[in-house]
Amino acid sequence: MDRGMVGSASRGRLNVEVRREGASAIVRPAGELDHHTAELLREPLEACAEEAGTRVIVDCSELAFCDSTGLNVLLGARLKAEAVGGAIHLAAMQPVVARVFEITGAEAVFTVHDTVDAALVG
């Protein structure tokens, strides 16, 4: 399997890493995703989402917080991915982040997996 690191970026409260595994891109935001840090995730996430047919997995295992701005980044990337035959999958969501998706109803528009490994095969 191709497990090459594609890149990473950090701005205080949020670190974002992107790596490839086969035909999938795995984007791992770690920290707090909010109005002040959303752009740090938006750029690499949308770059992956715009690649035709790519399955983008957002590894939420280290995401400690997500507000409405962060949610909008994920929703926007989902639309871009679907427009080119790809998809955004969420994996390993922490309860505090999962609650935001539950309250807003956004959980209904994403495929959510318990682990990144499950997202890679499912």
Side-chain angles (χ1 to χ4, degrees):
M1 282 187 200
D2 178 16
R3 291 186 150 203
M5 178 64 79
V6 175
S8 67
S10 180
R11 184 181 306 147
R13 294 178 294 128
L14 187 71
N15 178 56
V16 179
E17 294 180 356
V18 179
R19 67 184 170 92
R20 297 284 178 172
E21 189 158 329
S24 297
I26 301 171
V27 179
R28 187 178 66 83
E32 299 177 7
L33 178 57
D34 60 23
H35 173 73
H36 300 289
T37 61
E39 283 304 312
L40 193 61
L41 177 61
R42 183 187 320 271
E43 293 170 11
L45 183 59
E46 288 186 357
C48 292
E50 291 171 346
E51 296 175 18
T54 298
R55 173 188 294 229
V56 181
I57 299 166
V58 181
D59 175 357
C60 300
S61 63
E62 298 294 321
L63 191 59
F65 176 80
C66 180
D67 72 359
S68 62
T69 306
L71 181 60
N72 283 330
V73 167
L74 294 166
L75 289 166
R78 178 186 154 269
L79 292 175
K80 288 180 184 276
E82 289 179 353
V84 294
I88 302 285
H89 292 248
L90 306 179
M93 292 174 71
Q94 297 298 317
V96 68
V97 175
R99 182 77 175 129
V100 172
F101 282 77
E102 180 184 330
I103 290 169
T104 61
E107 66 186 359
V109 299
F110 286 100
T111 301
V112 180
H113 303 272
D114 289 336
T115 65
V116 171
D117 288 341
L120 286 167
V121 297

